[in-house]
Amino acid sequence: DVQLQASGGGWVQAGGSLRLSCAASGFIFDEYTIGWFRQAPGKEREALCFNSAVGTEYYADSVKGRFTISSDNAKNTVFLQMDKLKPEDTAVYYCAARPVWIVSGVGRPDAYEYWGQGTLVTVSS
């Protein structure tokens, strides 16, 4: 079975850092795009960034320069390093996966087949 396990969320003061992890299993890691999304209370799910064997892409202007996506292919894990956190970054963060050969709709949550359970990030001012 395909599984995505997101972890690493927590509480942090503004300006601080957190690193989220998304451990993947049940599929060939190099054949999938793994993306990070977030959803704040009362808001739609927002696409942040993506990692695959063909490269990385940052989708949200609000996180460019502050968030970094990376992967450890040996451990089938994708990371989201979040620096200079702001209160508006408070949200539940999700990782999601879809086959790498699907190229359209990279930022659309409905274009992803597999989802992790989410991890809550709270940034206090």
Side-chain angles (χ1 to χ4, degrees), residues 55-115:
T56 61
E57 179 180 358
Y58 293 89
Y59 202 79
D61 289 339
S62 60
V63 305
K64 289 179 181 177
R66 300 189 299 122
F67 290 11
T68 304
I69 189 170
S70 63
S71 66
D72 183 339
N73 290 1
K75 296 183 178 180
N76 286 3
T77 301
V78 173
F79 304 100
L80 182 65
Q81 177 67 41
M82 305 187 295
D83 298 318
K84 301 177 182 178
L85 284 161
K86 304 175 182 180
E88 51 264 42
D89 294 319
T90 294
V92 178
Y93 285 70
Y94 299 90
C95 58
R98 69 178 195 174
V100 70
W101 54 83
I102 299 175
V103 297
S104 64
V106 67
R108 286 178 24 217
D110 62 357
Y112 286 76
E113 183 175 0
Y114 304 107
W115 288 85

